[in-house]
Amino acid sequence: MAWAQVSTNMDALPSAAVSSSHHAPVGHKQRKVAHAQNTTNSQPPAKAKATPAPTPAGYSRKLDIPAKAPTPTVITPPPFPVALHPPVPAATVVPAATSHSHTEPLQGGALRVLFDPNSADLNEETIEAVRHYAQSMAPKTEVRFILHSYANVPGNDISMPRRLALSRALAIRGLLVQNGIATTRIYPIAQGRPTADDTAPTERLDIRPESNPPPVETPLSADQPSNEKTPKP
């Protein structure tokens, strides 16, 4: 009987890495590695922090809010008397003896004043007629007066007829103011030359009374309460 001798070199054998999970199945290890990779890839990348811009000199990033509202400024009266100037009175209309002006009544309580060509003068009779008209209309405070003034000056200059018409309107306005009609009720309009279809005398001024328009009512907004009471059902 023959014996075979076998020798083993333990140092030549590959060394296995010692792990606590060496008993785990191969499939379990693959699933664990894949789960770790998916978890890492699903996390959003970290955002880089923005560097704040430098604050300019003389400015601050903190809001400067006062602790309470500022005290209202009280304006004290001056220590010296202040002169109060009265309103400028209307110019005095001096009668002209050479004037051939006169007046004519119109419908609706209006009055027409007729002038000489190239003149704004009024004689004593015309001044007295306008004065009497103003005194009779002064108590009617709900009425205003429109002064339509015309003038026909020869030539092609359009400014000269308006200037003469304005001089006539200011003269009549002065008479109305001096006899009790407030300036806020008088509206002079220097028309200048009449239009081609105007058949009335060219050298005239018409005082036309009109009722003051009613005040414009401002509509209430959505957040403004109304003073009207809601009727009960």
Side-chain angles (χ1 to χ4, degrees), residues 80-129:
F80 51 87
V82 178
L84 300 178
H85 300 282
V88 179
T92 303
V93 180
V94 180
T98 58
S99 174
H100 298 86
S101 62
H102 60 282
T103 60
E104 295 178 355
L106 301 176
Q107 296 180 355
L111 181 68
R112 173 170 293 173
V113 182
L114 299 172
F115 295 83
D116 292 334
N118 300 328
S119 175
D121 295 336
L122 299 172
N123 55 29
E124 184 64 33
E125 181 181 0
T126 304
I127 294 176
E128 186 63 27

Side-chain angles (χ1 to χ4, degrees), residues 15 30 38 77 80 83 96 101 103 146-147 177 183 206 212:
S15 59
Q30 293 177 352
N38 294 335
F80 51 87
S101 62
T103 60
I146 314 298
L147 309 183
V177 172
T183 57
D206 295 337
N212 287 323

Side-chain angles (χ1 to χ4, degrees), residues 64-71:
D64 187 10
I65 302 177
K68 61 179 181 179
T71 305

Side-chain angles (χ1 to χ4, degrees), residues 21-41:
S21 60
H22 64 280
H23 296 291
V26 177
H28 177 72
K29 290 183 179 180
Q30 293 177 352
R31 289 195 299 268
K32 186 174 182 180
V33 173
H35 177 70
Q37 293 178 352
N38 294 335
T39 305
T40 305
N41 296 333

Side-chain angles (χ1 to χ4, degrees), residues 11-233:
D11 296 333
L13 295 177
S15 59
V18 179
S19 176
S20 60
S21 60
H22 64 280
H23 296 291
V26 177
H28 177 72
K29 290 183 179 180
Q30 293 177 352
R31 289 195 299 268
K32 186 174 182 180
V33 173
H35 177 70
Q37 293 178 352
N38 294 335
T39 305
T40 305
N41 296 333
S42 62
Q43 294 179 355
K47 295 182 179 179
K49 295 184 179 179
T51 304
T55 304
Y59 292 85
S60 175
R61 293 184 179 275
K62 296 181 180 180
L63 297 178
D64 187 10
I65 302 177
K68 61 179 181 179
T71 305
T73 304
V74 179
I75 302 177
T76 58
F80 51 87
V82 178
L84 300 178
H85 300 282
V88 179
T92 303
V93 180
V94 180
T98 58
S99 174
H100 298 86
S101 62
H102 60 282
T103 60
E104 295 178 355
L106 301 176
Q107 296 180 355
L111 181 68
R112 173 170 293 173
V113 182
L114 299 172
F115 295 83
D116 292 334
N118 300 328
S119 175
D121 295 336
L122 299 172
N123 55 29
E124 184 64 33
E125 181 181 0
T126 304
I127 294 176
E128 186 63 27
V130 175
R131 182 182 295 113
H132 178 73
Y133 176 82
Q135 293 175 355
S136 63
M137 300 295 290
K140 301 179 181 180
T141 56
E142 75 284 356
V143 177
R144 63 181 183 178
F145 302 90
I146 314 298
L147 309 183
H148 295 278
S149 184
Y150 299 87
N152 189 15
V153 178
N156 297 326
D157 189 356
I158 61 175
S159 64
M160 292 304 297
R162 292 182 178 178
R163 292 181 183 181
L164 180 57
L166 179 60
S167 299
R168 294 172 176 176
L170 293 179
I172 299 300
R173 173 184 175 274
L175 292 175
L176 298 179
V177 172
Q178 292 172 1
N179 291 275
I181 297 180
T183 57
T184 54
R185 299 171 55 193
I186 306 173
Y187 298 85
I189 301 177
Q191 304 279 172
R193 285 193 181 94
T195 57
D197 56 349
D198 191 347
T199 59
T202 57
E203 312 297 334
R204 75 183 191 274
L205 183 146
D206 295 337
I207 308 175
R208 296 191 177 277
E210 294 182 358
S211 299
N212 287 323
V216 178
E217 296 182 359
T218 305
L220 296 177
S221 59
D223 55 350
Q224 184 177 0
S226 175
N227 295 329
E228 298 182 358
K229 296 182 180 180
T230 305
K232 295 181 180 181

